[in-house]
Amino acid sequence: MRLINRHPNPRLARVLTASPFVAVAVVYVIASTIRHAANPDDKLLPTIAQMGAAMWRMAAQQDMESGDYLMLNDTIVSLQRLLLGLGISLAVSFAIGVSVGMIPYLKRLFVPFINAFSMVPPLAILPILFIVAGIGETAKVSLIVLGTAPYMIRDLILRVEELPRPQIIKAQTLGAGDWQIALRVVVPQMLPRLIDSLRLSLGPAWLYLISAEAIAAENGLGYRIFLVRRYFAMDIILPYVAWITLLAFFADLGLRWLQHAAFPWFAGARAQ
Amino acid sequence: MSVLAVRDVWKLYHGRPVLERINAEIGEGSFVAVVGPSGCGKTTFLRMLMSEERPDRGAILLDGLPLPLEPTHDRGVVFQRYSVFPHLTVLGNVVLPLEFARSRRLGKLFGIAKQRAEEEARTMLEDVGLTGAAPLYPAALSGGMQQRLALAQALIRRPRVLLLDEPFSALDPGTRADIHALMKRLWRETQMTIVMVTHDISEAFRLGTRVLVFERPPVQPDGAQGGAVVTHDIKVHERNIDKLQSRRATPTGDGPGAVSVTSRDDLATA
């Protein structure tokens, strides 16, 4: 039988899914054990116990200086920046994407500009943001917005244009005006697609958040990683990276669930 | 007076004619079927009737007035595909036109107004045999049911003219026969004027009171080709309920436009 026609049974499928994760963990533990056998003070590959102890300090014990639970504090601060940036991005791109996608005059006016603007590398203008907005929250949130909004706007314009033309004609023959078409035909069909767009933007959003925090911040997950790098504190860095990954993973999962629950028609419509 | 008057209409694409000298007077309550081989411009003709395209020459009049420049609610349409809104339930799809009419700003009704619109929509759904499907989304419907829904949606605001763009082409024969019967009944009950484009010649003669045949002249040796013209204008039958109920009406030829049965079969295979 051809490989393309062979499927694992459910049990084997679960084993296959788990195996790369297990493999990475096993390889890590072995490598770490070897290094620690050679040099008990090895910092590069901390043992699971060392990482556990470091996490206990970061997550469950108050910082001596500030009295904060550092990991919790870092998480809250970072998520605030992320959500604020993505929220602004979402609102801006939805308004621009739908109106530009629908109205030919706006398309002529904005699409070439948006396309050109989206080529600006956001990190290259980070210094400008720091100069203009200072090193406070505004600059970090702005970086996330500048990094994600152009993509989301372009994506949404394309999605609006993708709506079958017969649908738009049909709406007009049913007596709908511009506003009515926007509110009853275009917007409801764009909302689930906006979730897709948001899911794809999560990665870049984290990238810009951590970059901004690495360069200028007093707290946040990215700040912490770049701070403890100075002491080679891999026992903090590695769990922090895993924690960020986990947060991103659950955000993605949550969005997928939201799409499914809030727009039950979307899966069927997409299949057609 | 005719509902739709098409007067010497030409349509060019990149300077080449696609349609030439199209003339047709479409009377109140008639069911005009437009047939022709693919690429003959019959869909272009229909798109002009729905104001999605404009003629390069000539004029189209609706009730004696020039056709509006954009699609309006006096001309309903049913397309072969994408005719209904995937994000609305069956009921929602039929309520929507009423909401457009009654809520100019939001296009959405609430409370008692909404209930009343839903009652009207349910009556319409019953008429097309979709009562049980009201809470479903279109993706859950078969092709035939989707087209029934598209008809219900197009008819609920009682358009002056109904334009059909190969509405039943994608359906299997059994479903198509059912929906033909429904189409005939709706047409009879509503006294509506219908223009239907189809490549199915038997469908055209089964449903139409009149069949317009579009055909393009053959390509010249130098590569030039003229636009399609109306080669035959066949009066199938008068609007007459008794005759409609007979299984298949006999075409009655009138004048030079009349053609024999054999040539019709030729067209069917074209």
Side-chain angles (χ1 to χ4, degrees):
Chain A
M1 214 165 145
R2 290 181 186 84
L3 276 176
I4 54 170
N5 292 324
R6 294 173 63 169
H7 296 278
N9 64 37
R11 208 170 137 200
L12 184 57
R14 273 198 298 277
V15 172
L16 287 175
T17 306
S19 49
F21 293 98
V22 175
V24 168
V26 168
V27 167
Y28 180 86
V29 170
I30 293 171
S32 155
T33 311
I34 293 171
R35 284 188 73 94
H36 279 267
N39 170 17
D41 292 331
D42 179 66
K43 294 210 122 190
L44 193 62
L45 297 180
T47 62
I48 303 290
Q50 285 174 326
M51 287 194 279
M55 276 309 94
W56 180 255
R57 274 201 322 278
M58 298 303 291
Q61 291 182 348
Q62 284 171 305
D63 180 50
M64 297 216 268
E65 213 173 301
S66 61
D68 290 332
Y69 293 98
L70 286 180
M71 194 168 170
L72 179 70
N73 202 34
D74 286 339
T75 305
I76 290 172
V77 168
S78 283
L79 285 183
Q80 268 172 357
R81 290 170 184 148
L82 194 76
L83 290 182
L84 191 58
L86 279 174
I88 293 171
S89 234
L90 212 59
V92 169
S93 55
F94 198 66
I96 297 182
V98 169
S99 49
V100 171
M102 281 183 70
I103 302 169
Y105 270 86
L106 292 183
K107 214 174 278 184
R108 276 286 169 189
L109 186 60
F110 285 123
V111 167
F113 177 75
I114 293 167
N115 288 350
F117 187 79
S118 66
M119 293 303 152
V120 176
L123 283 179
I125 49 173
L126 186 57
I128 302 176
L129 290 178
F130 283 139
I131 291 167
V132 174
I135 54 169
E137 296 303 293
T138 318
K140 298 179 198 60
V141 172
S142 308
L143 182 68
I144 295 173
V145 173
L146 286 173
T148 54
Y151 161 77
M152 283 165 69
I153 292 172
R154 291 171 78 189
D155 185 56
L156 215 60
I157 293 173
L158 288 177
R159 299 292 155 254
V160 173
E161 287 176 344
E162 244 173 41
L163 284 179
R165 183 71 194 157
Q167 257 190 38
I168 305 297
I169 297 172
K170 179 83 179 215
Q172 296 178 63
T173 65
L174 298 178
D178 289 318
W179 258 114
Q180 294 176 321
I181 294 176
L183 290 178
R184 297 303 313 274
V185 179
V186 180
V187 166
Q189 295 196 75
M190 284 309 119
L191 289 174
R193 291 172 171 91
L194 192 66
I195 293 183
D196 277 338
S197 196
L198 184 59
R199 283 179 59 197
L200 289 172
S201 294
L202 274 180
W206 275 104
L207 166 73
Y208 295 123
L209 171 71
I210 291 178
S211 310
E213 287 181 343
I215 293 167
E218 292 92 48
N219 45 23
L221 296 165
Y223 160 79
R224 191 70 52 200
I225 290 175
F226 277 79
L227 178 75
V228 301
R229 178 189 62 113
R230 295 177 200 161
Y231 323 116
F232 298 107
M234 288 290 274
D235 55 345
I236 293 176
I237 295 177
L238 287 177
Y240 256 65
V241 171
W243 173 237
I244 291 171
T245 310
L246 207 65
L247 287 175
F249 175 80
F250 280 111
D252 189 63
L253 203 68
L255 286 173
R256 238 159 63 193
W257 174 84
L258 178 67
Q259 189 181 51
H260 189 77
F263 310 101
W265 56 270
F266 189 59
R270 178 142 63 179
Q272 290 199 334
Chain B
M1 193 178 71
S2 44
V3 176
L4 275 172
V6 181
R7 306 239 164 99
D8 192 32
V9 159
W10 290 61
K11 181 70 193 172
L12 313 174
Y13 279 139
H14 311 296
R16 287 158 173 250
V18 181
L19 290 169
E20 283 186 27
R21 308 185 306 274
I22 305 295
N23 281 290
E25 301 283 326
I26 293 167
E28 175 103 51
S30 55
F31 193 141
V32 177
V34 178
V35 292
S38 41
C40 72
K42 55 188 192 297
T43 296
T44 304
F45 176 68
L46 200 73
R47 287 163 61 82
M48 288 196 291
L49 294 185
M50 66 182 80
S51 301
E52 183 57 10
E53 291 196 45
R54 284 176 213 168
D56 291 294
R57 264 188 252 166
I60 301 174
L61 307 178
L62 176 69
D63 287 323
L65 297 170
L67 213 55
L69 295 175
E70 56 183 1
T72 48
H73 67 89
D74 41 25
R75 288 153 295 151
V77 271
V78 173
F79 294 101
Q80 188 180 342
R81 289 186 68 200
Y82 304 121
S83 257
V84 295
F85 299 105
H87 62 293
L88 298 172
T89 60
V90 167
L91 184 65
N93 262 289
V94 185
V95 171
L96 187 69
L98 300 174
E99 295 188 298
F100 284 154
R102 295 169 195 176
S103 163
R104 288 314 306 177
R105 190 155 303 206
L106 290 176
K108 196 157 175 62
L109 295 172
F110 301 95
I112 292 173
K114 171 112 183 172
Q115 278 173 19
R116 208 172 295 149
E118 281 183 352
E119 272 165 40
E120 288 171 54
R122 279 182 201 281
T123 312
M124 192 74 225
L125 283 177
E126 203 181 315
D127 223 20
V128 299
L130 282 178
T131 309
L136 302 178
Y137 285 105
L141 303 183
S142 68
M145 286 166 92
Q146 286 196 15
Q147 291 309 72
R148 283 168 189 263
L149 174 59
L151 277 172
Q153 187 184 50
L155 291 178
I156 196 158
R157 282 191 69 184
R158 311 213 160 276
R160 189 88 174 93
V161 186
L162 182 63
L163 305 173
L164 308 174
D165 187 4
E166 309 230 6
F168 315 126
S169 301
L171 307 179
D172 61 79
T175 312
R176 202 180 307 169
D178 288 348
I179 207 163
H180 281 168
L182 170 70
M183 192 69 247
K184 266 190 201 174
R185 180 167 62 75
L186 291 173
W187 171 64
R188 218 158 45 220
E189 285 170 5
T190 57
Q191 307 276 312
M192 195 176 20
T193 309
I194 300 181
V195 180
M196 174 180 73
V197 159
T198 177
H199 62 252
D200 180 346
I201 206 98
S202 69
E203 178 177 85
F205 280 93
R206 197 172 303 152
L207 293 178
T209 53
R210 183 174 163 196
V211 175
L212 293 179
V213 182
F214 280 41
E215 229 171 326
R216 294 188 83 165
V219 182
Q220 301 291 310
D222 60 356
Q225 192 184 14
V229 293
V230 178
T231 54
H232 306 283
D233 183 347
I234 307 156
K235 201 176 205 176
V236 182
H237 49 63
E238 294 294 334
R239 188 189 176 102
N240 179 320
I241 292 172
D242 295 332
K243 270 189 177 174
L244 281 171
Q245 278 165 344
S246 70
R247 212 159 45 81
R248 182 173 172 178
T250 329
T252 53
D254 57 341
V259 288
S260 67
V261 174
T262 41
S263 73
R264 250 186 276 133
D265 287 344
D266 291 345
L267 281 166
T269 53

